[in-house]
Amino acid sequence: MTGSHAVTWAVEESGGYETAWIDIDGSTLRARGRVVGTVPEPYWITYELDTAEDFVTRRLLATADTASGTVELELCRALDGRWTVNGAPAPDLDGALDCDLGLSPLTNTMPVLRHALQRRPGERDFLMAWIQVPGLVVRPNRQTYTHLGAQRVRYASGTYRADLTLDADGLVVTYPGLAQRM
């Protein structure tokens, strides 16, 4: 799978929008994006995401601006699976393969593509480096992705569930209650 995409989602849950410029080359993904939201407070986030082979997160750089100031995040995963948050070790994330930027449909793409869950049966459990927005606080989060049919995947975390519709490239088209591609 190879290609460049420019995608914009209306993000219902944040009362805003996200636009991402995405390059997929084989089993790597690079993206840069802009997010604007109004819930829980007005914010603006810019980010850059790079993955290694198999769509495993290598690095996420993000900057969030709110009325109270600017927060920056550098989230990195080393080849040995160890994570750092702004240069400090984050052992509670060790073993995670992916980051998940809160309220962003883009970061649902990596685990789906890695296991082709948009195309073939399967269910996978993941430990994610979940990033709360707009504060950019990173926490471990358990998530499950389940193939439901052609280009349909169920996302679950705790008691939360959403049945995502994806395009042929594994990018979210509809994330009920959260986002809709424009």
Side-chain angles (χ1 to χ4, degrees), residues 1 5-6 18 22 25 34-35 45 50 59 66 103 105 108-109 115 121-122 140 147 169 171:
M1 178 179 311
H5 310 270
E18 175 178 0
I22 307 158
D25 184 9
R34 308 288 184 269
V35 179
I45 295 174
D50 290 304
R59 182 172 167 214
T66 66
L103 306 180
N108 297 102
T109 299
H115 300 287
H147 172 85
D169 292 319
L171 299 171

Side-chain angles (χ1 to χ4, degrees), residues 19-181:
T19 296
W21 294 268
I22 307 158
D23 291 311
I24 299 173
D25 184 9
S27 68
T28 64
L29 179 146
R30 295 189 72 162
R32 58 188 173 88
R34 308 288 184 269
V35 179
V36 62
T38 59
V39 176
E41 64 180 307
Y43 64 88
W44 181 266
I45 295 174
T46 59
Y47 65 83
E48 292 181 13
L49 171 65
D50 290 304
T51 75
E53 293 295 319
D54 293 327
F55 303 105
V56 173
T57 298
R58 179 181 315 176
R59 182 172 167 214
L60 174 76
L61 295 174
T63 302
D65 291 300
T66 66
S68 58
T70 300
V71 177
E72 294 184 349
L73 171 66
E74 180 180 28
L75 179 63
C76 296
R77 183 182 182 281
L79 292 175
D80 66 3
R82 294 177 193 225
W83 290 81
T84 58
V85 175
N86 294 329
D92 55 339
L93 301 175
D94 290 352
L97 299 178
D98 304 294
C99 68
D100 181 6
L101 183 61
L103 306 180
S104 170
L106 171 67
T107 50
N108 297 102
T109 299
M110 289 98 71
V112 169
L113 289 177
R114 182 178 313 112
H115 300 287
L117 292 171
Q118 79 278 24
R119 291 193 306 260
R120 61 178 179 237
E123 179 174 287
R124 301 290 178 142
D125 295 317
F126 300 98
L127 173 63
M128 308 292 267
W130 183 78
I131 302 117
Q132 174 266 334
V133 296
L136 302 182
V137 175
V138 182
R139 297 185 186 112
N141 180 254
R142 296 265 172 206
Q143 300 178 3
T144 302
Y145 288 79
T146 307
H147 172 85
L148 297 177
Q151 297 172 301
R152 293 188 58 240
V153 173
R154 174 167 293 144
Y155 162 86
S157 180
T159 59
Y160 179 83
R161 305 222 178 322
D163 294 348
L164 313 180
T165 303
L166 309 159
D167 66 15
D169 292 319
L171 299 171
V172 173
V173 175
T174 303
Y175 188 136
L178 180 92
Q180 175 70 47
R181 187 173 326 169

